[in-house]
Amino acid sequence: MRHNQHFEHLLKRHQLKRTEARLRVLELLVNKKTATSQPDLESVIADVDRVTLYRILNAFEEKGIIHKVFDLNGTANYAICSSDCDEHYHHDEHLHFNCTNCKNVYCLDEMDMPPIVLPAGFKLEKLSFSATGLCPKCANK
């Protein structure tokens, strides 16, 4: 119940209507340890159609609730943003780790990323850090 109140507050803060489908998507994304794709979400919440799920993910991304990261196959995966994000600024400049064995994508928020200083005239709009290798579970097999 506590999660539900937090999610309702999150939706209200971002001027999004509270719907059961939105609450379920938030619950799934918060409880995942890895980023997840739309097809994976579709398989878990089969009663929400593909178009509705696409619109939910798109609205969440636009409002700064989630961010998109691509896996090794180029498939979009989604993960919850930090509480600092909003529709004007995504603070998702952290390392995204793609496991080459299990194909999971991990957001490594705790990693300090180096500052990026661009040459004069360049304006940074989006930044992405990614790495590939084996996650701890796969490395220990």
Side-chain angles (χ1 to χ4, degrees):
M1 184 67 160
R2 189 161 182 212
H3 265 302
N4 207 12
Q5 289 174 342
H6 171 71
F7 297 151
E8 289 182 23
H9 174 73
L10 185 64
L11 292 174
K12 186 176 181 179
R13 189 177 106 212
H14 290 283
Q15 291 112 27
L16 290 171
K17 184 178 174 187
R18 178 206 181 277
T19 66
E20 286 303 314
R22 285 180 175 157
L23 292 172
R24 287 176 63 204
V25 170
L26 283 172
E27 182 80 35
L28 286 168
L29 291 174
V30 164
N31 289 327
K32 293 261 313 173
K33 301 275 190 244
T34 61
T36 190
S37 67
Q38 182 172 343
D40 288 342
L41 288 170
E42 286 174 21
S43 70
V44 177
I45 48 176
D47 61 324
V48 176
D49 67 83
R50 176 175 288 152
V51 173
T52 300
L53 183 56
Y54 172 80
R55 288 181 180 154
I56 290 170
L57 293 171
N58 192 46
F60 284 178
E61 186 179 12
E62 285 178 4
K63 295 291 186 174
I65 296 171
I66 63 174
H67 64 278
K68 185 187 309 184
V69 59
F70 293 93
D71 64 20
L72 295 173
N73 296 321
T75 303
N77 285 260
Y78 302 90
I80 293 291
C81 281
S82 79
S83 58
D84 298 338
C85 294
D86 62 31
E87 62 189 295
H88 305 291
Y89 179 71
H90 272 278
H91 181 69
D92 58 344
E93 293 90 16
H94 54 265
L95 185 65
H96 295 108
F97 189 90
N98 286 276
C99 180
T100 55
N101 186 52
C102 67
K103 309 299 184 210
N104 283 323
V105 180
Y106 297 85
C107 290
L108 302 180
D109 299 316
E110 65 279 358
M111 301 268 318
D112 288 329
M113 303 311 311
I116 303 297
V117 180
L118 296 173
F122 286 87
K123 181 183 177 204
L124 183 65
E125 293 182 357
K126 182 162 176 52
L127 188 62
S128 177
F129 294 103
S130 65
T132 59
L134 296 175
C135 68
K137 184 178 175 183
C138 292
N140 289 327
K141 285 185 178 178

